[in-house]
Amino acid sequence: MPGILWLASYPKSGNTWMRVFLANLILDEPEPLPLARINEVCSSEPNEVWFKPFTKGPPGALPNKKIAALRVRAQDRAASINKNIMPMKTHSFLGKDYGYPTISVKASVGVIYIVRDPRDVAISAADHYGLSIDQTIEMMADPSARGRPLAGTTVYERMGSWSDHVRSWTKWRHTPLFVLRYEDMLADSLGQLGGLARKLGISSDDERIARAVGFSSFKALQAQEQATGFTEKSVNSERFFRSGRAGSWRETLTANQSAAVERHHAVQMKRFGYL
């Protein structure tokens, strides 16, 4: 049945890694898929293209409340015009924004949710958004936090706090839900990503899966970005694929900063083994 397979995560938690893996797995080409072609397979929910049929001017020029009102209609249309299951990235939390739902249940056929230690997220997100780490920790605790739109490309997303985001998506009960930890994906990429490929029914071919895992490794992605660039790189960052490590917060955050993250997000961090 056609519909949207959500690739959901809080920003800087491994969503692009998952998109690259799935794109390489699905297209199964003999060479790594260029980063510029990822959207051929794995689209992005805030892409203005989904909103254009419902607006007379640029979607990005609309007030946020109007965008919130159009979001589900745009998702339903995206699902209706695709004959196959459509992997789609989102950083929106699962709930309501200005009283409107952020995600269409009707359009959904499944969810892959990726969670990452918020102490590491804070470091990577600070680099991406051009904020200090203290400002990023405040943003991650803000239930009204919204991602910045990119004029002419994407509309804003309602992220909520890190805890809101994790809590909302991991309560999803409408379709199959697959939850992965970023740290487990790093420690056992072949096992975690290969297991997901088999559960989704995309492929059980060991060689095909291993090739897609290799093509989407962090080292391979860094090399591709260095050679050809990446349109999703923030103007605030030197590169999109910056470090990819787990546990770098131990060397980067101060004791007060790590304590602040743990204080804000203790419940969800304990759920996923981060405390």
Side-chain angles (χ1 to χ4, degrees), residues 51-221:
F51 295 80
K52 284 182 179 178
F54 307 108
T55 66
K56 293 182 180 179
L62 295 173
N64 284 355
K65 188 173 183 179
K66 181 66 174 177
I67 292 171
L70 292 174
R71 213 176 273 283
V72 164
R73 288 179 66 191
Q75 294 167 15
D76 288 343
R77 181 178 180 275
S80 71
I81 63 177
N82 283 276
K83 296 180 179 179
N84 300 312
I85 290 176
M86 182 182 189
M88 183 175 279
K89 162 192 171 182
T90 183
H91 289 318
S92 285
F93 90 123
L94 180 64
K96 290 190 174 182
D97 185 25
Y98 294 102
Y100 299 99
T102 58
I103 298 295
S104 169
V105 172
K106 173 186 171 184
S108 306
V109 295
V111 174
I112 299 170
Y113 188 78
I114 307 169
V115 62
R116 184 184 186 186
D117 190 323
R119 293 165 296 195
D120 281 332
V121 171
I123 300 166
S124 187
D127 178 75
H128 183 75
Y129 290 115
L131 301 173
S132 70
I133 288 178
D134 287 332
Q135 289 172 323
T136 305
I137 290 171
E138 289 181 15
M139 178 190 76
M140 291 174 64
D142 181 0
S144 64
R146 289 179 170 84
R148 300 171 185 171
L150 184 60
T153 304
T154 61
V155 299
Y156 83 94
E157 292 177 281
R158 170 71 184 275
M159 303 180 310
S161 72
W162 182 86
S163 288
D164 289 342
H165 205 287
V166 174
R167 184 188 306 109
S168 68
W169 278 106
T170 54
K171 287 184 176 180
W172 177 269
R173 297 292 181 270
H174 306 289
T175 66
L177 167 68
F178 307 93
V179 180
L180 293 90
R181 293 196 332 157
Y182 180 89
E183 295 76 17
D184 297 334
M185 290 164 58
L186 277 179
D188 181 17
S189 299
L190 188 59
Q192 292 288 308
L193 297 175
L196 178 66
R198 293 179 176 88
K199 288 176 183 177
L200 291 172
I202 298 174
S203 177
S204 58
D205 184 318
D206 291 344
E207 186 176 335
R208 178 177 173 181
I209 291 171
R211 184 163 52 249
V213 169
F215 287 168
S216 59
S217 71
F218 203 83
K219 184 177 180 180
L221 296 179

